[in-house]
Amino acid sequence: MGKFTYDINRYEPKQMVALPAGLFIISVLFLAFNFFTTGMPIEPGIDFAGGISVTVFSDDSKEDIESYFSGYPLQSVGESINNGYYIVFQNMGDDEFRDLTDHVISKYPEAKIDQIGETFGKTLQEQALWAVIISFILMAIVIFAAFRNFVPSVAVVISALSDIIITAAIMDVVGITLSLGTTAALLMLIGYSVDSDVLLTTRLLKRKGKLEEKMSGAFRTGIIMTSTTFTAVFAMFIVSAIGNVVIIRDISAVLLIGLAVDVMNTWMLNAGLLKWYMTRGGRK
């Protein structure tokens, strides 16, 4: 079985940076367009947009459920294990909500009904946004304190930011809504992305030897670490998809997307910036 290799001499820094930089710019424009047209860069789930969720256990089919609630602003019907259904409705007035409650109880007396108000959802939006911003700022502070070198530190921060932005854009494209669970996945992604970037930067700046050898060694270690994490998360995604555990499925899906994006950003964007710094902008 051959070893993982990374041919740093094959491309110039600007060639390595071109693809991730292009995707980053497209993703920023895409999210900005969503924000100015809808008020949110990513389509919010019930946690942030507000709404009503109903959990029922029944032998009825999904089509029967949709037909029974056709007179209400039905948003989605998610199937779960043990004949369970997670039914989501858009926000509605008090009278319509009471009518819905009676309609649910009349057929599914053991159903669980939860309501999230629009105001409370916006509060959660703000808290989630601040959580991401503060986490990113603290990460950047730690990176600058650890390396005390402007260009490599900026390269790590830019790579991590690109991971979040591109992953968020892909989430919206494939239809993964922004919820408390997927926000937590984005927070975890900050840690995953910084881990591989720190490995690469530390190997290049702290160790002696030729740039090609250090890059190759960092790539072998980094890709094995990422592959191990990817395999574990993929297993979680398969199990949750089969069992239709929506929140775990969405979290693992975001992590899978983010890990794939991180491979590109670490070994093209960050590596390209570091190669430029090591050969031209900094020490040779």
Side-chain angles (χ1 to χ4, degrees), residues 4 13 59 68 100 104 135 154 166 196 198 204 208 225 237:
F4 291 112
D59 292 330
Y68 185 71
L100 172 66
V104 172
S135 298
V154 169
I166 296 177
S196 57
V198 168
L204 296 189
K208 296 181 180 180
M225 291 169 51
F237 173 78

Side-chain angles (χ1 to χ4, degrees), residues 232-245:
V233 176
F234 183 73
M236 182 172 68
F237 173 78
I238 294 298
V239 171
S240 59
I242 293 175
N244 208 12
V245 184

Side-chain angles (χ1 to χ4, degrees), residues 12-91:
E12 292 295 321
K14 60 182 179 181
Q15 293 176 307
M16 299 171 66
V17 170
L19 176 61
L23 290 177
F24 175 75
I25 294 172
I26 293 172
S27 298
V28 169
L29 294 176
F30 177 77
L31 295 177
F33 176 79
N34 285 347
F35 179 79
F36 286 114
T37 55
T38 66
M40 286 286 289
I42 310 173
E43 182 182 354
I46 187 174
D47 295 338
F48 295 148
I52 298 164
S53 65
V54 178
T55 303
V56 301
F57 292 91
S58 170
D59 292 330
D60 294 343
S61 66
K62 182 178 179 180
E63 290 73 21
D64 293 335
I65 299 289
E66 293 175 344
S67 176
Y68 185 71
F69 292 107
S70 59
Y72 299 91
L74 180 66
Q75 187 170 338
S76 64
V77 178
E79 300 180 45
S80 183
I81 58 176
N82 298 326
N83 296 325
Y85 292 94
Y86 184 72
I87 311 167
V88 178
F89 299 88
Q90 297 177 2
N91 276 313

